[in-house]
Amino acid sequence: MKQSEVKELSVAELQEELGKSQKAYSDLKMAHAVSPLENPIQLRTVRRDIARLATELTKREQQ
């Protein structure tokens, strides 16, 4: 998810996407611990998406 896409979401949508991304990240981490993922870069991209969403939520709370 790109930063431009994140800025267009409402606060409720941001929170929903953050929850989904965190669940996906934990599932990927578990799967990777059991057997190596075919594409371990997925972990990095999901982690960065989580950071983008959390940053945007924090930014909006401060305004």
Side-chain angles (χ1 to χ4, degrees):
M1 181 172 281
K2 295 182 178 182
Q3 187 65 27
S4 59
E5 296 171 351
V6 171
K7 288 183 178 183
E8 294 174 358
L9 298 175
S10 69
V11 174
E13 291 172 330
L14 282 172
Q15 291 171 339
E16 182 181 335
E17 283 295 320
L18 183 60
K20 286 180 188 177
S21 294
Q22 287 173 335
K23 172 125 178 60
Y25 182 65
S26 66
D27 291 344
L28 280 173
K29 274 182 65 171
M30 274 300 212
H32 188 60
V34 173
S35 63
L37 291 174
E38 187 175 314
N39 185 6
I41 301 300
Q42 288 175 317
L43 290 170
R44 182 187 336 165
T45 54
V46 174
R47 191 171 59 238
R48 288 181 179 177
D49 285 345
I50 291 170
R52 281 187 194 100
L53 293 166
T55 301
E56 186 64 26
L57 269 174
T58 305
K59 180 179 161 187
R60 290 186 187 186
E61 287 174 0
Q62 291 177 351
Q63 289 179 351

